[in-house]
Amino acid sequence: MKMGRLFNPLVVFLFLGFCHVSVSTPTPEKEQNYRRQTYIVHMAKSEMPESLEHHLQWYESSLKSVSDTARMMYTYENAIHGYSTRLTPQEAESLASRPGIISVLPELRYELHTTRTPSFLGLESTPNTFTESGSSSDIVIGVLDTGVWPESMSFNDAGIGPIPSSWKGDCEPGTNFTKSNCNRKLIGARFFCKGYEAAMGPIDVQKESRSPRDDDGHGTHTASTAAGSVVESASLFGYAAGTARGMAVKARVAAYKVCWMGGCFSSDILAGIDKAIEDNVNVMSLSLGGGMTDYYRDSVAIGGFAAMEKGIVVSCSAGNKGPNPFTLSNLAPWLTTVGAGTLDRDFPAFVSLGNGKNYSGVSIYRGDSALSSLLPIVYAGNASSTGATSGNLCMPDTLNTGKLAGKLVLCDRGGNPRAEKGAVVKDAGGAGMILANTEVNGEELVADAHLLPATAVGLKNGNEIKQYVFSDPNPTATILFEGTKVGIQPSPVVAAFSSRGPNAVTPSILKPDMIAPGLNILAGWSGSVGPTGLSVDPRRVGFNIISGTSMSCPHVSGLAGLLKAAHPDWSPAAIKSALVTTAYVKYKNGQALEDLATEEPSTPFDHGAGHVDPVSALDPGLVYDLTVDDYLSFLCALNYTQAQITMLARRNFACQPEKYSLGDFNYPSFAVPLQTAQMGGSGGSGSGTGSTVIKYSRTLTNVGSPGTYKVTVQSQAPGVKILVQPQVLSFAKQGEKKSYTVTFTAGSMPSGTTSFARIEWSDGKHVVGSPIAFSWT
């Protein structure tokens, strides 16, 4: 059967930095090169002509059929069947019509979603709960990011045994990197830059290393968060002082550098995933994303499907575009999507005004020029350069140096990096900075290692400080730095920047899956760049404190590694289920988790199933498991074409005539999209009163002792009746499966309405919880 082919004519413009001055007329070949961009070509391997001995010959001949000059950049063996190449839009369209070509999709650019956490998560109070030797040291966590700084103490291999015999990876040499940079902790390091260089030009090795070496810091931070070794007396300028360690401290690290100064390109990401599968990693950690798109167009989803088939857990960041709804990345159900919460640790730095009032803020500034007295304070918007329209934001070249000497400067957040604002103030002669949140960020406070005395304050405090500055004829202020404080309550709360649901691609799949620590996280850092990441920052540190779902993702990656070590026979879906169904949604005092953006209770669209609880996840009692065939049935339920399914599954799979239902997909949480009833008509099935009746089915697998589980329903959705049948499930042995159905009878609500509920199965020892999210459109 001939498959339908996909061709997307969308041209993704990716900064084409090839600017040449010439008086000669460009040749046709040069003009063609200018118009070329990178495409990823998906092949139907089963359709290879019998006359060819190897699929690489087939790939080459298919490319030659449309271009004599194009060359294959990467060939993919595991993540997809196919290759990447540079083509003109006309060549790509022609190639898409050739036999055996499933799709020709343009490359996309993805972005990075940029200590105390083991104690906060309970890993230090229960050190013997997880096996931190033996099988845990056989776990390999592959981190696809900006590379690794191998000299970091977080990758010290003291006390770690031989490299696992199952490991098939390598340590690739390159600029400022040799094979000897790897050890028994950092057992693999590779780099992938063909897609980046094709779009951006050759890498400038004076600015970044063409090797696995991390010149950015992001990759070292995420890798050491997931599986960093124990490092005593770690801190950033004395802040967050203590013992730093990753989640899976005995696990091995393999670094795959797929992100560069200009971004992360999908052909490189796919090549990194391809090699990580071949190298035999157990967990993949990807703190990057590209927004919402169909799964068959998303390289992370495509590669993640192949990894899942091999038993690899794929953990991804949810994105940093909160608190707005519908802002999530990495939505495929075979990916574990992680949002960000706070720790119970803070770095207070108070603003003390000349009128005697004090306002709380945060900072991790440490320097010799700490403020010792009240100074004149000025609002940056009133000290702008002539013609500047964004002086209030303290953007480069917007401040009047004659108005700022020796003064504290009040800047608004937004428009440029927070630490850069301080550098702008410093260059303009300012003595310090107060950074005030706007409506976009509300009360969320992110601490930075500023280059001058500075603190960040929330929206309310910022407005009151502004009122004082505007009303007092001689306003003065100073900043009082208080160091590190722990035991901050309530904690955790959902970080305001953490991306939110609902899931715009598949509304019946609840995302994010969970939250984990992601605000002000201490972890290893690159020796090539200062803690602010600014080129003007000369400081070098071994550890840095940064924030983002990029930081929460590797927490879950490391925890997944611990669960894989403890339960090597568990599937990726079972490991996700254990983390989801044991996540908590209430503080110890019984109050609901809060959302930092609203200072109100958070919802499953904010926190997913809740905050991860690794100790409980080790023994979840029951799990919702999924097989590869279950995921294929899910794609059938989405009405994917055979070609679209083949792009993900890499083999022919025909959906059967029987009806597939998304409600039967055995996901560990529930999302129930509902239609608002139209005026004058019925909004539901089987009812003339405007109600809708929907049935979902689930199957639980016993992974613990025999027991009898009873169900309870906690609902905040008065307009929805929830019926679970049966209400008791008895398990006589481990591995036994039992199914149940949930019937939702929902009345019509205005479009945009959301409400929530929760199902819990308990045997008196275990609580297997699943959130339910209702949304009307």
Side-chain angles (χ1 to χ4, degrees), residues 213-563:
R213 182 168 292 280
D214 178 17
D215 299 305
D216 177 272
H218 192 276
T220 300
H221 198 281
T222 56
S224 58
T225 298
S229 299
V230 174
V231 182
E232 304 287 348
S233 303
S235 74
L236 174 61
F237 304 137
Y239 288 94
T243 299
R245 51 157 286 178
M247 297 297 98
V249 71
K250 293 293 185 182
R252 318 303 177 114
V253 173
Y256 298 84
K257 186 175 180 179
V258 298
C259 295
W260 304 83
M261 289 179 64
C264 320
F265 289 76
S266 55
S267 61
D268 295 330
I269 295 170
L270 207 55
I273 294 174
D274 198 72
K275 272 298 182 184
I277 295 172
E278 182 179 311
D279 291 345
N280 214 18
V281 304
N282 304 104
V283 178
M284 283 190 204
S285 187
L286 295 94
S287 291
L288 51 84
M292 293 188 179
T293 187
D294 291 317
Y295 307 132
Y296 61 86
R297 297 183 184 276
D298 182 353
S299 291
V300 173
I302 292 169
F305 192 97
M308 172 273 298
E309 284 191 288
K310 296 290 186 179
I312 300 168
V313 179
V314 184
S315 173
C316 298
S317 49
N320 298 338
K321 296 183 179 179
N324 293 328
F326 299 101
T327 52
L328 291 162
S329 295
N330 301 314
L331 294 165
W334 48 89
L335 306 177
T336 299
T337 310
V338 189
T342 66
L343 291 173
D344 62 342
R345 180 179 64 197
D346 211 349
F347 310 104
F350 293 88
V351 177
S352 181
L353 301 182
N355 62 7
K357 292 185 178 181
N358 294 327
Y359 296 93
S360 60
V362 297
S363 178
I364 43 180
Y365 169 78
R366 182 62 53 85
D368 297 331
S369 57
L371 306 178
S372 57
S373 61
L374 291 169
L375 297 175
I377 179 172
V378 61
Y379 179 55
N382 294 333
S384 301
S385 302
T386 303
T389 59
S390 55
N392 65 305
L393 298 175
C394 297
M395 304 279 281
D397 303 319
T398 63
L399 298 181
N400 187 329
T401 57
K403 295 182 179 182
L404 302 181
K407 297 180 181 179
L408 269 180
V409 182
L410 178 61
C411 303
D412 286 331
R413 184 173 170 182
N416 60 328
R418 299 179 301 273
E420 184 182 68
K421 297 175 186 290
V424 171
V425 170
K426 184 177 181 180
D427 287 345
M433 177 183 69
I434 300 169
L435 181 59
N437 280 1
T438 61
E439 293 282 353
V440 173
N441 306 106
E443 300 306 315
E444 175 184 75
L445 298 179
V446 181
D448 292 293
H450 292 285
L451 291 164
L452 82 171
T455 186
V457 298
L459 174 65
K460 295 176 184 177
N461 286 350
N463 287 341
E464 291 195 23
I465 294 170
K466 288 177 186 176
Q467 185 177 17
Y468 165 73
V469 171
F470 296 156
S471 61
D472 194 291
N474 297 296
T476 59
T478 191
I479 302 173
L480 306 174
F481 299 94
E482 297 290 321
T484 304
K485 302 292 183 183
V486 296
I488 304 297
Q489 297 300 330
S491 64
V493 298
V494 180
F497 60 74
S498 188
S499 289
R500 315 301 172 98
N503 182 338
V505 177
T506 312
S508 59
I509 298 295
L510 180 63
K511 292 284 183 170
D513 290 303
M514 67 200 74
I515 60 171
L519 184 71
N520 298 331
I521 304 301
L522 178 76
W525 195 245
S526 168
S528 287
V529 65
T532 63
L534 300 174
S535 60
V536 296
D537 189 350
R539 302 168 297 177
R540 295 295 180 265
V541 296
F543 291 84
N544 198 10
I545 295 172
I546 57 176
S547 302
T549 56
S550 279
M551 285 61 257
S552 55
C553 166
H555 279 87
V556 170
S557 305
L559 297 177
L562 291 177
L563 292 179

Side-chain angles (χ1 to χ4, degrees), residues 7 27 143 475 556 587 699 708 716 723 777:
F7 171 70
T27 65
V143 182
V556 170
Y587 302 114
T699 299
T708 298
Q716 302 170 357
L723 176 63
T777 56

